[in-house]
Amino acid sequence: MSSESAAAPHPHHAGPHHVDPRPVRRMVPRSRDEPHRVATPLELFFDLCFVVAVGQAGRELAHDLAEGHWGDGLTGYLFAFFAIWWAWMNFTWFASAYDCDDVPYRVTTLVQIAGVLILAAGVPRLFADQDILLSVVGYVVMRLAMVTQWLRAAAAEEGPARGVALRYAAGITLCQIGWGVVLALPHDVRAVVIPIGILAELSVPVVAELRMQTTWHPHHIAERYGLFTLIVLGETVAAATVAVQSAVDEHEGLVRLLPVAAGGLLICFSAWWIYFARPVHDHLRSNRQAFLWGYGHYLVFGSAAAIGSGLEVAVESAVHEAHVSATAATATVTVPTALYLITVWALHARHAKTGAAQVLLPAGSVAVLACTAAGESGVLAAGLVTAATVAVGVLLHARER
């Protein structure tokens, strides 16, 4: 980064009252020490539109799991969720470093939103027929819009910072060309090539920032990830609510659904509590820590959304509409719940814990998995375990204080 760019003050603070951008600004880096840095209304709108695609992937996963198509469902879900998460994450870190909130920036971000809606429209085809055309087109739209952002940053930079921006633009462009090639390949070859494409996408930030790092803001990044976690958990609650409502309307089996509904609510409430039990921005002190934390949230977001899919399957199982056993239906809830607990612990909860509190979440994840054996009552048991995990954590924290 040139000394001129580093010293240049950012033209605005992205506070809640900023609504009148100038037509065009220089896209210079924002300071990592900028005070009062919060998520903008555009970023919140971006998240809400992205969760549409999350909801689509979750519904299709629930359908495949309920039908017993575990392999196809999980493969489609992992692929679709990667595309959603990776595009979201790249925009989030770029915005933390370069958000200038001018007209070109806003328009380009809206193009990215259009891309995720195209991707969402293609998710049912992806699950039903392994037709990836529409999903890939939506993904490429999002990523090429990101290229224009990096080229704008390169135009305003000099020296090493300009090189970082150009490497990002070149790397993303090459990856999108690769996805175009994937579309032309036979279906049996795609299964081998797609993982290579995913690895190439993941490597772009590592290569681009090998010699110099962008100036992301720790408080802003922590807030952005927290907000997306909230939205995904909200989508989980909504999906479970719709499933319960539909089951009651069709079968009038409210009594059979109460344990699933109660257990699901306890899991969602506990998931929120555990994630936000401690602030995490102080842990994000270096690029290495931030990269591991940011990449690891693929599992946090993916498992949080999958809990909602599992609750839909558990509801269908309770009214005898799922084509899987009660134990398998319970596993669709307990497995993602256990994954969520252990991942949140590994990424940031463990850094603020000592003594017995250090093993609380790992022990809770094992106990949740054990609830799978309870069959029809397993979801309620898992909810009680997660609630007890939160209660013990609160008591241990009070004792420490």
Side-chain angles (χ1 to χ4, degrees):
M1 183 191 308
S2 69
S3 58
E4 177 186 359
S5 296
H10 192 269
H12 80 284
H13 296 300
H17 303 296
H18 179 76
V19 295
D20 186 23
R22 289 185 297 187
V24 181
R25 292 189 172 102
R26 288 184 71 236
M27 190 174 273
V28 295
R30 300 181 72 143
S31 171
R32 291 188 69 164
D33 300 318
E34 180 183 330
H36 312 300
R37 182 74 190 278
V38 296
T40 66
L42 179 60
E43 289 174 323
L44 297 177
F45 183 48
F46 186 88
D47 290 358
L48 287 171
C49 293
F50 263 63
V51 87
V52 172
V54 173
Q56 282 278 55
R59 283 187 289 274
E60 295 299 326
L61 174 63
H63 177 268
D64 276 3
L65 294 181
E67 293 295 322
H69 304 153
W70 294 71
D72 291 341
L74 290 173
T75 301
Y77 181 74
L78 292 173
F79 178 74
F81 206 92
F82 170 81
I84 299 163
W85 162 77
W86 189 241
W88 177 89
M89 193 174 90
N90 277 246
F91 167 80
T92 296
W93 289 83
F94 177 88
S96 192
Y98 285 102
D99 179 9
C100 61
D101 199 30
D102 61 2
V103 170
Y105 179 87
R106 288 187 173 194
V107 171
T108 306
T109 302
L110 295 176
V111 170
Q112 290 179 273
I113 291 174
V116 78
L117 296 179
I118 296 171
L119 187 153
V123 166
R125 295 184 179 188
L126 169 65
F127 278 81
D129 306 313
Q130 289 76 52
D131 181 358
I132 66 173
L133 175 61
L134 202 55
S135 293
V136 169
V137 168
Y139 180 77
V140 171
V141 168
M142 290 188 287
R143 300 297 281 144
L144 290 181
M146 198 73 248
V147 170
T148 67
Q149 300 281 41
W150 280 113
L151 290 176
R152 283 194 68 198
E157 291 281 24
E158 299 174 2
R162 177 180 171 83
V164 171
L166 290 175
R167 283 193 293 274
Y168 264 111
I172 295 172
T173 301
L174 288 174
C175 288
Q176 304 328 297
I177 294 172
W179 291 120
V181 172
V182 168
L183 291 177
L185 296 175
H187 284 271
D188 54 341
V189 179
R190 288 179 184 176
V192 177
V193 177
I194 285 176
I196 298 174
I198 291 174
L199 288 175
E201 290 275 6
L202 292 173
S203 68
V204 170
V206 177
V207 174
E209 301 198 22
L210 194 60
R211 299 177 182 176
M212 179 182 175
Q213 289 76 47
T214 53
T215 57
W216 47 270
H217 194 286
H219 286 266
H220 178 250
I221 284 293
E223 181 188 28
R224 294 287 290 112
Y225 273 73
L227 289 172
F228 199 70
T229 301
L230 281 175
I231 293 173
V232 172
L233 288 174
E235 174 63 27
T236 293
V237 173
T241 301
V242 171
V244 170
Q245 179 184 350
S246 299
V248 171
D249 291 342
E250 294 179 13
H251 300 276
E252 298 182 359
L254 182 59
V255 174
R256 292 198 299 270
L257 296 174
L258 283 177
V260 177
L265 278 180
L266 287 174
I267 289 170
C268 291
F269 292 166
S270 300
W272 169 83
W273 195 299
I274 288 166
Y275 188 93
F276 295 98
R278 300 284 191 280
V280 72
H281 58 264
D282 288 336
H283 170 63
L284 305 178
R285 293 186 294 270
S286 70
N287 260 43
R288 181 177 179 276
Q289 291 169 321
F291 271 4
L292 291 173
W293 183 84
Y295 278 42
H297 268 73
Y298 173 75
L299 297 178
V300 174
F301 297 152
S303 59
I307 291 171
S309 303
L311 290 172
E312 291 187 55
V313 177
V315 167
E316 292 190 28
S317 176
V319 296
H320 308 295
E321 281 199 349
H323 296 92
V324 294
S325 67
T327 301
T330 299
T332 64
V333 179
T334 56
V335 171
T337 300
L339 179 61
Y340 178 90
L341 294 179
I342 196 67
T343 307
V344 171
W345 171 82
L347 292 180
H348 62 242
R350 64 188 175 91
H351 300 294
K353 296 182 182 296
T354 57
Q358 188 64 260
V359 299
L360 183 59
L361 286 180
S365 66
V366 173
V368 166
L369 281 177
C371 293
T372 307
E376 291 183 359
S377 58
V379 174
L380 178 59
L384 294 173
V385 167
T386 56
T389 301
V390 170
V392 173
V394 170
L395 291 174
L396 291 174
H397 180 60
R399 181 178 297 178
E400 288 178 4
R401 296 185 65 181

